[in-house]
Amino acid sequence: MTTPTSTSRNTRTEPTAFGAEDFTTGEGLRALLNRLAEGGEDAWVHDPVARDLMEFAADKYRALARKHKLDTWEAVTAAFDAMQYRSTRQANDPWAIITHAVRITCVYEERAQGLLCSVHQARRAHVSAFHDPERFSERDTALADYHPAFHTTDLRPSDLEPEPRESLGSAQACMSAGSAAEDAIAMLCLLDWPTDTARAAVEHVCGALTKAGTRQSAYETLRRDRHARALLDLPRRSWAALLKALLGNPHPAYVATSSGRGILLRLLLGETLDLLLRDDDLILALALAAPSGGGGESS
C-alpha cells in the first residue's frame, strides 16, 4: 500500500513541472514567467517550479560559464535577472533573449576580472579597449626585449629633418653619395679586403639601397641574396659583417647609435674616414671578416 502511494505522488509531481508549464520550451517558459510575475516577490521563493527552472538554467549555461572562467551560478544569476524583464516575457523566444543576456554578462564579467575593475566599467568601450595588466615577472623574456614601447630612442634633429645635402641640389647629393661610397671602399681596402671585392660589394649594396629606399629594407633583402654573395665570392660571415657595417645594425635598440647608422650614413652625416678608423669595434669586426687571400691594392 505504501509503494503505490509513493509512485502516485511522483506521477502527480511530474506534470506540474513539465506539463502545463514546460519551461524547456519558449511558450512554457513564458507561461511560467507570467505566473511568477503575477505572484509577487515571494513567488520565486515558494514556487517549486521556479527552483526546477533555475536548476535547468544551471545545466544549460554551465558550459558557457566555464568558457569564460566563471562559476556556474554567476551565469544563473544573469539568467535570473533577464527573466525579470517584461521584454523577455513578451519576446517571440524568451530563451533566446535569456541566452543572449547571459553570454553578454559572461563576456564582460571575464573582462572585468582581467582588467581588475567592475563589470559596469568593463562594459564601457574606452575601458574594455585596454589589455589585461601583466606583471614583469609573468614572462621569461625581459619586457624591454619585446615591448615596442621600450624600442623608442631619442631622435636627433638630423633624423627628423631632411639632410642638409638635399637642399644643395641633386648634383651635390649624388656627389656626396659617391664620395661616401669611395670612402667606404677605401676603408675596406685598408683593412685587407681585396680591392675588386670591396668595390663590387659596396657598389652592389649602394644599388640595393637605392632600390629599397630604406636601410632596413635593403639589409633584409641583401641578407637573403645568396646570388650576390656567390658572385662576390664571399663567405657568409664576411657578407653578414659587411652588411651590418655598411648599413648598420637593424635592431631598433641601435637606431641612434653609431653601430645602428652604418658606415654609409655616418659618412653622409659628415663623419670623416679618419674618424671611422678610430672606431675600434667597427675596425675589429671588418678586419676579422676580411675574406681569406686578401691584401689587394689599396688604391
Side-chain angles (χ1 to χ4, degrees), residues 51 54-58 62 65 70-79:
R51 180 183 181 87
M54 301 318 295
E55 291 178 351
F56 177 79
R62 180 175 289 109
L70 301 175
D71 184 77
T72 302
W73 290 103
E74 293 185 78
V76 174
T77 302

Side-chain angles (χ1 to χ4, degrees), residues 6-47:
S6 176
T7 305
S8 177
R9 183 181 299 111
N10 292 337
T11 305
R12 289 195 302 269
T13 303
E14 194 70 15
T16 304
F18 300 99
E21 295 175 331
D22 184 6
F23 48 74
T24 61
T25 65
E27 292 302 324
L29 177 62
R30 189 197 321 278
L32 175 58
L33 294 180
N34 285 330
R35 182 170 62 79
L36 292 173
E38 295 171 358
E41 297 180 356
D42 295 336
W44 284 91
V45 178
H46 302 293
D47 195 303

Side-chain angles (χ1 to χ4, degrees), residues 147-176:
H147 200 286
F150 293 91
H151 291 174
T152 58
T153 55
D154 294 333
L155 298 178
R156 297 184 178 182
S158 58
D159 298 326
L160 300 174
E161 300 176 358
E163 295 181 4
R165 293 179 176 81
E166 294 181 359
S167 60
L168 301 179
S170 59
Q172 187 171 355
C174 292
M175 292 176 58
S176 300

Side-chain angles (χ1 to χ4, degrees), residues 57-58 60-76 102-103 106-107 110:
K60 183 178 181 66
Y61 299 120
R62 180 175 289 109
L64 183 60
R66 187 182 300 113
K67 174 183 177 182
H68 294 281
K69 305 178 183 65
L70 301 175
D71 184 77
T72 302
W73 290 103
E74 293 185 78
V76 174
V102 173
R103 181 182 296 109
C106 289
V107 168
E110 183 182 19

